[in-house]
Amino acid sequence: MWVSDSGEGPPLLVLHPGGTDSRAMVMVCAEFSGYRRLLVDRPGHGRSADVVGPWSFAQMADEMAEVLDDRNVANAHVLGWSDGAIVGLYLALRRPDLVSTLVFGGAVFHHDGWLDGVLSEEDPPQFMGESYAELSPDGADHWEVVVRKAVELHQLEPNLNLSHLANVRAPVLIIVGDDDEVKFSHLLEMYDALPNAELAVVPRSTHGLVVEKPDILARFARDLHRSDRTNGVAPLRRR
């Protein structure tokens, strides 16, 4: 796998959306000076070759755990968007020792949480295939395989339930745009099920919030990382 490891400070693992690569997260990463920033192109994305067989989010999470283990990162803040957020959630469940906090952006814990029609869209935009061809060691012709694998993945996964969420130990910030691709009711279920959750809906923002308002996303993430957070002056849920 292709990995960029730069900067000094608390480790921050940044996980890109599906169909793209770590370039999608460059604007967000620029907001995190003072961190050790780890960006990864997951297999079949960007500069990382595809793996044999179908994809699964559990497999992707295990691959991210390997990245951290290989670099002797005992634990990291994790920031993921869309598929990257789902990978981060699976990582928090499978290797809770590695995840200090999780920013869960523009994503679902079960595939039925996407808005109607999101998963039934036709072929991805042309620019995504062109972007893939720029970097992929598998060549431009492999894009069709990647698209097929992504479609098959999203038909079945993620497939977590509320009981799974109750086992997440790390603080989790759920964040979406107010015009995102996720059902708000789904995220409210997630917020209620997680033991230590926060929820943010960013106005005038879409599923592309990582490039629309990376500064706002980073500000919320940095707040999640602070050790001196309070529960406010009139808490109801956090007593």
Side-chain angles (χ1 to χ4, degrees), residues 2-71:
W2 182 90
V3 182
S4 171
D5 186 346
S6 64
E8 296 182 357
L12 174 70
L13 176 64
V14 182
L15 303 176
H16 63 78
T20 66
D21 55 70
S22 58
R23 289 176 294 178
M25 307 300 285
V26 168
M27 293 175 66
V28 173
C29 280
E31 302 287 335
F32 286 95
S33 60
Y35 285 77
R36 178 184 176 185
R37 301 175 299 274
L38 295 105
L39 288 96
V40 184
D41 285 347
R42 295 191 299 279
H45 299 76
R47 288 147 283 208
S48 294
D50 196 7
V51 293
V52 176
W55 293 345
S56 75
F57 285 116
Q59 175 194 44
M60 295 176 191
D62 290 345
E63 290 160 349
M64 297 307 103
E66 183 178 346
V67 167
L68 296 178
D69 286 338
D70 286 349
R71 285 159 180 76

Side-chain angles (χ1 to χ4, degrees), residues 50-112:
D50 196 7
V51 293
V52 176
W55 293 345
S56 75
F57 285 116
Q59 175 194 44
M60 295 176 191
D62 290 345
E63 290 160 349
M64 297 307 103
E66 183 178 346
V67 167
L68 296 178
D69 286 338
D70 286 349
R71 285 159 180 76
N72 296 314
V73 177
N75 52 72
H77 299 297
V78 179
L79 188 159
W81 193 262
S82 195
D83 277 10
I86 299 168
V87 175
L89 180 59
Y90 273 79
L91 179 61
L93 286 166
R94 296 172 72 82
R95 287 291 305 276
D97 58 304
L98 292 178
V99 180
S100 298
T101 65
L102 171 63
V103 175
F104 185 87
V108 299
F109 65 87
H110 192 280
H111 57 84
D112 64 8

Side-chain angles (χ1 to χ4, degrees), residues 179-194:
D179 194 12
D180 210 320
E181 298 178 351
V182 186
K183 298 174 183 175
F184 290 135
S185 58
H186 181 82
L187 296 182
L188 289 175
E189 285 186 317
M190 183 178 189
Y191 174 74
D192 286 336
L194 288 165

Side-chain angles (χ1 to χ4, degrees), residues 110-194:
H110 192 280
H111 57 84
D112 64 8
W114 297 111
L115 285 175
D116 294 342
V118 167
L119 297 183
S120 61
E121 292 180 355
E122 297 180 356
D123 293 340
Q126 181 178 349
F127 78 85
M128 295 180 71
E130 294 172 349
S131 178
Y132 173 86
E134 290 173 1
L135 298 180
S136 175
D138 295 318
D141 291 344
H142 194 70
W143 175 241
E144 293 183 4
V145 177
V146 166
V147 171
R148 174 179 54 78
K149 285 187 174 185
V151 169
E152 293 172 351
L153 171 69
H154 294 137
Q155 288 174 343
L156 301 174
E157 298 187 17
N159 57 358
L160 301 174
N161 58 43
L162 300 182
S163 296
H164 291 121
L165 298 181
N167 292 319
V168 177
R169 300 204 310 243
V172 179
L173 167 64
I174 305 165
I175 183 167
V176 292
D178 64 351
D179 194 12
D180 210 320
E181 298 178 351
V182 186
K183 298 174 183 175
F184 290 135
S185 58
H186 181 82
L187 296 182
L188 289 175
E189 285 186 317
M190 183 178 189
Y191 174 74
D192 286 336
L194 288 165

